């Protein structure tokens, strides 16, 4: 891992620990962006360390562009949005009977 990747790994672990999701959020950061090495995927499109899809947050194209920019530049914001999306889908599937 590069120094930057190690920093992303460490920050993710530290932030996720308070929610007891350190393994989950770290695995997402690794799988989605190789700990920040690839922060944008035009085929989805998704962006940020956790590869959040801006279209799942807002339908406004202009806001999606600004959101993507912020997801790439601001790790704390990216983590907060990814955590919110994770909790949403976790609760959604849990309510459908999946564990």
């Amino acid at each position: 891992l590069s120094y930057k990747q190690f920093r992303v790994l460490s920050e993710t672990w530290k932030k996720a620990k308070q929610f007891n999701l350190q393994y989950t959020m770290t695995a997402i950061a690794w799988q989605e962006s190789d700990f920040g090495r690839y922060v944008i995927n035009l085929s989805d499109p998704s962006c940020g360390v956790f590869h959040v899809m801006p279209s799942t947050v807002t339908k406004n194209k202009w806001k999606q562009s600004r959101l993507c920019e912020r997801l790439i530049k601001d790790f704390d914001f990216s983590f907060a949005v990814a955590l919110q999306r994770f909790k949403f889908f976790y609760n959604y599937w849990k309510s459908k009977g999946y564990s």
Side-chain angles (χ1 to χ4, degrees):
L1 294 177
S2 71
Y3 176 74
K4 181 183 173 188
Q5 288 172 298
F6 185 75
R7 254 187 34 227
V8 169
L9 166 65
S10 298
E11 280 298 307
T12 302
W13 186 270
K14 186 170 38 173
K15 286 186 165 299
K17 191 169 186 169
Q18 61 186 316
F19 304 100
N20 199 28
L21 290 171
Q22 58 269 36
Y23 289 102
T24 302
M25 296 303 287
T26 302
I28 292 170
W30 178 34
Q31 177 65 35
E32 295 297 333
S33 71
D34 195 17
F35 295 123
R37 189 172 176 195
Y38 307 105
V39 292
I40 194 161
N41 183 353
L42 296 177
S43 64
D44 286 320
S46 60
C47 47
V49 170
F50 304 96
H51 277 254
V52 173
M53 294 182 69
S55 61
T56 63
V57 179
T58 181
K59 299 300 175 202
N60 182 302
K61 294 288 186 185
W62 186 85
K63 287 182 180 179
Q64 288 176 17
S65 296
R66 302 290 72 82
L67 178 63
C68 191
E69 181 179 10
R70 191 161 175 208
L71 287 168
I72 292 169
K73 291 181 178 180
D74 186 347
F75 176 81
D76 293 335
F77 178 72
S78 183
F79 180 86
V81 172
L83 182 64
Q84 174 193 13
R85 300 308 299 159
F86 174 80
K87 286 180 176 181
F88 170 81
F89 284 111
Y90 177 84
N91 291 330
Y92 174 82
W93 289 109
K94 189 175 180 181
S95 73
K96 301 282 185 198
Y98 296 95
S99 57

